[in-house]
Amino acid sequence: MTGPDGRVANGRFLVEDTPLAGLKRVQRFPLEDARGALERLYCSSLFTACGIDAAIAQINRTRTYAAGTVRGLHFQHPPHAEVKFVQCLRGAVFDVAVDLRAGSPTFLQWHADVLSRDNLTGLLIPAGFAHGLQTLSDDTELLYLHTAAYTPEAEDGIDALDPQLAIDWPLPIAERSERDLALPHIHPDFTGLSA
Ligand SMILES: Cc1cn([C@H]2C[C@H](O)[C@@H](COP(=O)(O)OP(=O)(O)O[C@H]3O[C@H](C)C(=O)[C@H](O)[C@H]3O)O2)c(=O)[nH]c1=O
């Protein structure tokens, strides 16, 4: 149900398109009173409004100590491809989604948004995208809602510094995992992930 102001889920979320079809910016609207505030982090009606009929299979929280840290770019291969709803609960991140969908007119294009505790903004990332981020502040916390369980044998990734993507990371890179440092560039024969 979409309200007159374009918000969904009883007015608690505003969903905006990005230049990559299906990738949505989601703004939360807390209810505040003299005690503080209540905000919803998920409603099934939000996913329905975004055309997503998958249930949440897993919820993760990551804490990152240092500003400048880069995580990703990660994705899971079908049939374990997942929708990821990423929200920042502390600090701020430069959050990146890369379109890996076979046949997509924006194949290998990326979009980034700053997600922060204060801007109450999340990214709803469809299946077929790789996800990565760079923290913009120390002690940053992210909440991830996944529509597929973590499946190591289906996990894959792309080097966050792949020149074919040329992601404009805002800070000097402070920290990457050994796994992420070893991620490959996109293979020239890669034509995308099937739905
Ligand atoms: C994602 C995941 C990981 N793990 C284990 C696997 C490793 O032993 C350890 C750290 O995993 P990884 O280095 O893949 O985690 P991140 O680099 O922080 O990945 C995160 O950042 C990038 C940007 C993302 O998009 C991932 O979805 C998100 O989890 O946790 C689990 O046990 N369950 C899980 O659901």
Side-chain angles (χ1 to χ4, degrees):
M1 177 72 176
T2 302
D5 53 7
R7 295 188 198 176
V8 298
N10 306 109
R12 306 296 177 81
F13 299 95
L14 178 66
V15 178
E16 297 173 293
D17 293 331
T18 70
L20 308 183
L23 177 69
K24 306 286 186 182
R25 183 185 304 108
V26 178
Q27 172 126 27
R28 306 188 299 275
F29 290 84
L31 294 179
E32 298 183 89
D33 61 29
R35 299 166 302 164
L38 181 147
E39 61 181 307
R40 295 185 188 178
L41 296 176
Y42 168 79
C43 291
S44 57
S45 55
L46 166 64
F47 271 34
T48 302
C50 295
I52 298 166
D53 63 5
I56 299 300
Q58 190 172 315
I59 298 176
N60 289 352
R61 168 177 167 237
T62 64
R63 183 174 177 195
T64 305
Y65 300 131
T69 302
V70 168
R71 294 177 183 261
L73 305 161
H74 300 163
F75 62 94
Q76 292 197 153
H77 286 281
H80 305 281
E82 56 187 330
V83 173
K84 256 179 215 175
F85 184 25
V86 184
Q87 300 178 90
C88 183
L89 302 182
R90 186 208 303 261
V93 297
F94 178 81
D95 207 60
V96 180
V98 182
D99 189 352
L100 301 180
R101 298 170 295 186
S104 169
T106 55
F107 179 59
L108 297 190
Q109 292 185 29
W110 58 273
H111 172 79
D113 269 304
V114 173
L115 312 181
S116 72
R117 189 204 65 170
D118 296 334
N119 73 9
L120 300 170
T121 300
L123 263 186
L124 187 48
I125 306 168
F129 280 72
H131 174 247
L133 64 99
Q134 183 174 38
T135 52
L136 302 176
S137 60
D138 292 339
D139 203 11
T140 290
E141 291 193 25
L142 289 184
L143 183 76
Y144 293 82
L145 276 59
H146 301 257
T147 61
Y150 175 64
T151 310
E153 56 272 19
E155 268 268 299
D156 204 342
I158 300 167
D159 180 3
L161 302 184
D162 188 331
Q164 298 167 90
L165 300 175
I167 295 172
D168 190 14
W169 300 108
L171 299 178
I173 295 180
E175 187 75 40
R176 294 167 79 192
S177 68
E178 287 306 315
R179 173 201 172 202
D180 286 352
L181 286 167
L183 288 173
H185 289 183
I186 297 164
H187 191 279
D189 297 338
F190 179 63
T191 55
L193 302 174
S194 55

